[in-house]
Amino acid sequence: MIKTVKDIELKNKRIIMRVDFNVPMKDGVVQDDTRIVAALPTIKYILEQKPRSLVLMSHLGDPEKDAKKAAEKAAKDGKPFDKEAFINGKNRMKPVAEYLAKKLGSSVEFADSCMGQKSRIDALPESGVLMLENTRFHKEETAKELDAQRVLAKELASYGDVYVNDAFGTAHRAHASTATIAEFMKVKVGGFLMEKEVKYIEPMVKNPPKPMIAIIGGAKVSSKIGVLDSLLKNASALIIGGGMAYTFLKVQGHAIGKSLVEDDYLDTAKTLLENAKKQNVRIILPVDHVCAETFAADAKPVMVDGVDIPDNLMGMDVGAKTLALYQKEIAAAKSIVWNGPVGVFEFEAFSKGTSEVAHYVADATDKGAVSVVGGGDSVAAVNKFNLANRMSHVSTGGGASLEFLEGKTLPGIACLETK
């Protein structure tokens, strides 16, 4: 396990803390504060210990890439584009600092750069809080060359005696503020959010309570093959749903109509099915479907009572017989990993499968199973169906939770002290 803020002395220490405040913004206003709220327990605990100062840092989008994309769209639409106004509305940390101050009920100062802030930090009142500007306004943050990253990392390290990383959402990034900074810090620990993510996800990869069921959905096999391979080692069964299921059905010789398929990954899917058989892991694929003629929210649902899909239709959700199979497997599980929806849950007519799966997982959790929900779409689904509070753990990191479930070493965790 990683060391956390509870394992060290914080009184009178200068703390530099990486948070994940990469929140949706519109016209300079925070649209969703989930990530800010998730970091509050660690921030409040640190402040209760009476540190000398607390400096917070985060990225917010990717200013150059975001602006470039927006400029291209504006040009396409024949509209004027003001880069500065765009960045002020989407990528500046100042509105986030102001939002955090309201949440804390105390002052949060703001620095408009990550560089040259040492005297400003030294001048903070006792236990004063300062938020730095978006780390990605500095090209060194994401530089591929380590020496370039070290320029920013060293400066950030000079702002604190202790480095705290509570930004699980960026733990898979080897950036200046997430990992390289640790080279220059004697004390480097995790926050409570980081601790919780490691506590719940790591056992699912290494030694989960058994039987373990993995529900893997989403559009593409290509983005989930690493997770499927990794979980195959410990799972009793893999439930494969969503768009990726049709690639597996095609491998088995089934007709999939106009459904999403990755022909480049047919051999990969075939190998996974063969490996699952060798390891005695059940693979559960859809046996019936809810289809449509077009991919649209207002498309008319067509029930297909069988595995094969007619040529004029595409699979959009799983059917009742498939859900019965899912329910039986999930109810028997002692641990459950869920990453990716099993249908196009954003469209009301095709959301039942994902909604039912969310309820099955919640019911199993109520009865004592350990459930971990990771990946942006699955998290959006449990939130949509108001079931997040009935899961053991809902991960805050999309790409990070995916890579962690793949069994990869995450730089933002590897750089922290262990106990």
Side-chain angles (χ1 to χ4, degrees):
M1 282 296 290
I2 57 168
K3 271 191 182 180
T4 74
V5 286
K6 275 202 167 167
D7 298 311
I8 57 165
E9 178 63 55
L10 297 171
K11 189 174 170 64
N12 293 326
K13 299 280 196 242
R14 299 174 310 138
I15 316 297
I16 175 88
M17 178 175 171
R18 181 55 156 94
V19 288
D20 181 11
F21 285 175
N22 183 28
V23 295
M25 301 288 290
K26 189 176 180 185
D27 301 326
V29 179
V30 174
Q31 301 297 299
D32 181 343
D33 68 357
T34 306
R35 287 175 171 171
I36 296 171
V37 171
L40 287 179
T42 305
I43 292 171
K44 286 177 177 176
Y45 175 82
I46 290 170
L47 294 176
E48 283 162 9
Q49 309 311 304
K50 307 290 184 204
R52 170 64 193 88
S53 56
L54 171 60
V55 177
L56 302 170
M57 53 182 174
S58 175
H59 77 288
L60 182 54
D62 191 323
E64 283 305 317
K65 278 186 187 169
D66 291 346
K68 188 182 175 189
K69 221 182 271 182
E72 286 169 357
K73 188 179 185 306
K76 193 178 173 186
D77 297 341
K79 292 178 181 173
F81 180 70
D82 183 335
K83 183 178 177 181
E84 189 61 29
F86 174 82
I87 284 174
N88 284 338
K90 188 176 172 68
N91 300 106
R92 297 277 180 200
M93 292 302 301
K94 191 175 183 186
V96 182
E98 290 164 356
Y99 191 95
L100 176 65
K102 285 180 195 162
K103 284 283 179 187
L104 288 174
S106 57
S107 171
V108 175
E109 291 192 30
F110 175 72
D112 60 7
S113 173
C114 292
M115 301 294 278
Q117 300 301 325
K118 197 161 183 310
S119 58
R120 174 88 184 273
I121 293 161
D122 289 345
L124 284 170
E126 288 297 319
S127 299
V129 182
L130 174 89
M131 180 171 282
L132 300 173
E133 181 57 283
N134 188 342
T135 56
R136 288 192 184 172
F137 278 130
H138 302 271
K139 63 182 187 303
E140 295 89 353
E141 165 74 333
T142 58
K144 288 187 169 59
E145 301 77 25
L146 206 49
D147 283 345
Q149 276 196 29
R150 285 181 177 128
V151 173
L152 177 60
K154 196 171 183 181
E155 179 72 6
L156 294 171
S158 74
Y159 301 159
D161 309 306
V162 174
Y163 171 60
V164 178
N165 192 352
D166 208 24
F168 178 74
T170 59
H172 58 316
R173 307 283 188 206
H175 290 167
S177 69
T178 61
T180 310
I181 182 176
E183 287 184 26
F184 305 98
M185 305 291 300
K186 282 185 180 167
V187 185
K188 44 241 178 176
V189 297
F192 300 137
L193 178 62
M194 187 72 86
E195 179 186 38
K196 193 180 179 201
E197 295 277 8
V198 173
K199 177 187 165 187
Y200 278 100
I201 299 178
E202 196 169 58
M204 290 296 178
V205 179
K206 293 188 173 174
N207 188 25
K210 293 180 178 173
M212 189 264 260
I213 304 297
I215 307 154
I216 308 297
K220 295 181 173 181
V221 179
S222 51
S223 62
K224 300 287 172 79
I225 196 65
V227 172
L228 288 165
D229 275 335
S230 172
L231 297 178
L232 204 57
K233 300 182 190 89
N234 288 306
S236 303
L238 290 183
I239 290 172
I240 299 176
M244 61 192 288
Y246 307 113
T247 299
F248 284 90
L249 289 174
K250 185 172 180 178
V251 163
Q252 292 182 334
H254 293 291
I256 59 165
K258 296 192 291 183
S259 304
L260 184 69
V261 66
E262 286 183 284
D263 287 319
D264 291 349
Y265 280 82
L266 290 171
D267 286 343
T268 306
K270 187 182 177 189
T271 302
L272 188 115
L273 291 172
E274 287 166 356
N275 289 342
K277 198 173 179 182
K278 282 177 199 163
Q279 293 175 51
N280 208 20
V281 178
R282 294 184 302 285
I283 299 284
I284 293 121
L285 290 161
V287 294
D288 61 345
H289 316 270
V290 182
C291 296
E293 289 191 13
T294 57
F295 187 85
D298 59 355
K300 186 186 170 193
V302 180
M303 309 300 161
V304 173
D305 186 17
V307 183
D308 295 296
I309 298 172
D311 291 348
N312 65 318
L313 297 175
M314 63 179 74
M316 300 283 276
D317 197 6
V318 292
K321 288 179 181 173
T322 305
L323 285 173
L325 292 176
Y326 288 0
Q327 187 173 24
K328 186 182 172 190
E329 291 290 346
I330 293 167
K334 288 279 190 291
S335 56
I336 303 157
V337 174
W338 181 19
N339 188 295
V342 298
V344 188
F345 79 100
E346 304 92 328
F347 298 166
E348 208 54 48
F350 308 101
S351 65
K352 188 182 176 184
T354 302
S355 170
E356 289 293 299
V357 166
H359 281 90
Y360 301 156
V361 176
D363 292 344
T365 310
D366 290 344
K367 289 174 184 165
V370 178
S371 58
V372 173
V373 182
D377 286 338
S378 338
V379 173
V382 294
N383 287 331
K384 178 181 176 178
F385 305 124
N386 296 313
L387 292 168
N389 62 342
R390 289 178 61 199
M391 307 295 169
S392 305
H393 180 59
V394 178
S395 181
T396 56
S401 62
L402 202 60
E403 290 197 18
F404 209 5
L405 286 170
E406 285 176 23
K408 289 182 179 176
T409 299
L410 305 191
I413 296 173
C415 70
L416 305 176
E417 295 171 55
T418 54
K419 56 182 176 183

